[in-house]
Amino acid sequence: MPVKMPLPDAETLARRTQIAAAMRAIVPGEGVIDHQDELAPYESDALTAYAQKPLLVVLPENTEQVAAVLRWCGEQRVRVVPRGAGTSLSGGALPLADGILLGLSRLNRILEIDYDNRLAVVQPGVTNLAVSQAVAARGFYYAPDPSSQVACTIGGNVAENSGGVHCLKYGMTAHNVLGLKMVLMSGEVLELGARALDAPGYDLLGVAIGSEGLLGVVTEVTLKLLVKPPCAHAVLLGFGSVKSAAQCVADVIAQGIIPAGMEMMDRPAIHAAEDFLDIGYPRDVEALLIVEVDGPAEECAHLMELITATARRNEASTLRVAANEQERLRFWAGRKAAFPAIGRISPDYFCIDGTIPRRCLPDMLGRMTDMAHRHGLRVANVFHAGDGNLHPLILYDASVPGDLERAEAFAAEILRTCVAMGGVLSGEHGIGVEKRDLMGEMFGEVDLAHQERVKCAFDPHMLLNPGKVFPTLHRCAELGRMHVHHGQLRFPELPRL
Ligand SMILES: Cc1cc2nc3c(=O)[nH]c(=O)nc-3n(C[C@H](O)[C@H](O)[C@H](O)COP(=O)(O)OP(=O)(O)OC[C@H]3O[C@@H](n4cnc5c(N)ncnc54)[C@H](O)[C@@H]3O)c2cc1C
């Protein structure tokens, strides 16, 4: 495994049998997995380039068991990695050799649906799609819609602040969560946020959402429910150049239109999706946009007129408004299946997740073509054009020596370029281990030290998901006193990952 993780603690490894027994006392029955063969399915998440079997897997069933596990591990200084469905693309749920992998999949109940107040209270192991399915008959839905929504869990969505195609208009997870129950490594249970808007005090809900399993384990989530818009229209737009497509995106947004979704695919991605599903995407274009608007029928029709006129001004060579709901869903099916489509043409791929200001799209895609030549690897692009969130898919073959390292170098160059253009390292997949060592590109030492102090306030012994997000393992006591004297770093025994 090329990525560096905290060194396993030999004493914890030696206590494995005792730790398993303590866990069985808290989570009886089938809730503890310690057989080596049965640990194998847990050794990686969707960032399969990196794998590590955990010490044990523990599958609690309720908040009380989560609290008891964390309290015991906190007292015994045993590390813990939370896991939902394991679809993280940034290695957020990558296990540690000396750490318990805490699977939340058995906390999978919808506890309450309150239509009057348009909210639902769910356990973290409920899948994203299950929430919308549970309220669909009453005309409601949960807005954030990651492409992985059939599998990924609400707990994982909260930890990664996940987004999706419709987040351009309806916001990310952070904009659709009202409250959380979160268990700390001490076993204490925090209630963050409120059912009403604007809870008093510091915005700890905001701190917890997107904290990538480093601050606490979420065991209950209060979600906002939205009423399904009465109408949705989508249009497929093909362009002879990425520049024209990007200009069309910019011109639509500049008119004050916020489409429900605005996605772009480049030529390699269009061809992969078309070969896979035969959607009817044009093959003779360099870039494809799928633009959707929703709301009352009159509003949709008016916005669609403005958008198609804008596309014509930008010399769209294909302009196809979905004739019916079936065709609209078909447009999206190709986009949503783009990742598996790419999986068919390459043994492995890295999915990158930087953002850039929208105006930089043509320049960035041009630079990526140049990078692909230099690194000797192919790249396909499928991304949320409306909010500048890129998803370059770097194609490689892990069985070819050196290919993974070249893919990693290519990915790092893309992300550095995103930051240099004024963007950020992650739009929605999180930092995890994947982008951890690039955090210094975005944040100075003081910024990082303050972020780690927040971590210390919740988890003073750095036991929860260590080795993720922060490029250096600090002791909490060390933070704020970081000082290099004659080239001698304090606490030299702590790994600089
Ligand atoms: C094909 C595919 C498409 C995808 N498309 C999108 C997309 O469109 N948008 C998007 O944003 N992401 C996307 N993802 C990434 C991924 O699905 C999301 O990051 C998702 O939120 C992860 O959820 P999970 O349940 O699988 O979490 P996991 O992968 O199990 O864990 C992710 C992180 O959350 C932490 N965690 C999990 N549960 C808890 C909990 N209860 N309490 C505290 N921490 C917890 C873990 O420690 C880890 O750091 C995609 C992934 C795949 C494979």
Side-chain angles (χ1 to χ4, degrees), residues 25-44:
I26 299 170
V27 185
E30 307 281 294
V32 177
I33 299 172
D34 58 352
H35 192 283
Q36 287 302 329
D37 293 345
E38 292 173 7
L39 292 177
Y42 295 93
E43 68 182 10
S44 69

Side-chain angles (χ1 to χ4, degrees), residues 188-439:
E188 291 164 301
V189 181
L190 284 185
E191 301 266 1
L192 304 176
R195 282 179 175 235
L197 295 175
D198 200 12
Y202 287 148
D203 181 13
L204 293 184
L205 180 65
V207 173
I209 298 175
S211 62
E212 303 197 25
L214 269 73
L215 302 185
V217 175
V218 172
T219 60
E220 246 179 64
V221 188
T222 305
L223 303 170
K224 283 186 201 169
L225 298 177
L226 299 188
V227 176
K228 264 187 122 181
C231 184
H233 287 184
V235 60
L236 202 63
L237 303 169
F239 296 86
S241 74
V242 170
K243 197 169 175 193
S244 307
Q247 193 57 51
C248 182
V249 171
D251 290 352
V252 168
I253 301 282
Q255 288 171 70
I257 302 169
I258 304 291
M262 199 175 206
E263 299 285 300
M264 197 190 291
M265 294 163 81
D266 69 0
R267 177 181 270 270
I270 298 165
H271 283 246
E274 196 52 22
D275 291 344
F276 185 32
L277 287 184
D278 204 9
I279 299 287
Y281 288 163
R283 286 181 181 268
D284 58 346
V285 298
E286 289 303 318
L288 190 70
L289 287 180
I290 307 174
V291 189
E292 179 163 297
V293 293
D294 63 13
E298 299 75 13
E299 183 184 331
C300 285
H302 172 63
L303 291 178
M304 213 23 106
E305 262 175 39
L306 293 177
I307 291 167
T308 49
T310 310
R312 283 197 192 91
R313 278 200 300 279
N314 282 288
E315 295 168 353
S317 54
T318 302
L319 198 159
R320 205 183 315 148
V321 179
N324 49 40
E325 182 65 3
Q326 205 183 0
E327 193 175 13
R328 182 183 78 83
L329 294 176
R330 211 166 156 64
F331 287 175
W332 284 118
R335 160 63 185 91
K336 293 220 168 191
F339 287 14
I342 297 289
R344 289 171 76 237
I345 61 169
S346 172
D348 300 282
Y349 67 80
F350 249 136
C351 173
I352 316 304
D353 167 49
T355 71
I356 51 170
R358 274 185 294 264
R359 66 184 151 72
C360 301
L361 278 174
D363 183 21
M364 184 67 186
L365 293 187
R367 288 201 208 187
M368 250 188 257
T369 307
D370 170 54
M371 289 178 211
H373 286 308
R374 271 191 289 106
H375 292 280
L377 294 170
R378 289 179 295 160
V379 65
N381 276 287
V382 183
F383 56 93
H384 309 310
D387 44 20
N389 184 186
L390 302 173
H391 286 326
L393 300 165
I394 298 176
L395 316 193
Y396 72 102
D397 183 349
S399 66
V400 174
D403 241 28
L404 172 60
E405 289 73 15
R406 279 190 293 152
E408 286 176 329
F410 188 173
E413 188 173 347
I414 293 173
L415 290 169
R416 282 197 189 97
T417 310
C418 286
V419 175
M421 286 179 164
V424 300
L425 287 177
S426 171
E428 56 184 16
H429 296 170
I431 300 297
V433 290
E434 183 216 359
K435 310 176 195 86
R436 179 194 66 194
D437 299 336
L438 293 169
M439 283 286 273

Side-chain angles (χ1 to χ4, degrees), residues 45-46 81-89 92-93 104 124 145-148 151-165 212-213 216-219 335 339-340 349 384 391 428-429 465:
D45 53 25
V81 176
R83 176 180 163 117
T87 66
S88 169
L89 287 166
L104 283 310
D145 57 344
S147 300
S148 52
C152 68
T153 66
I154 292 295
N157 293 177
V158 168
E160 301 288 17
N161 189 18
S162 297
V165 163
E212 303 197 25
V217 175
V218 172
T219 60
R335 160 63 185 91
F339 287 14
Y349 67 80
H384 309 310
H391 286 326
E428 56 184 16
H429 296 170
N465 219 0

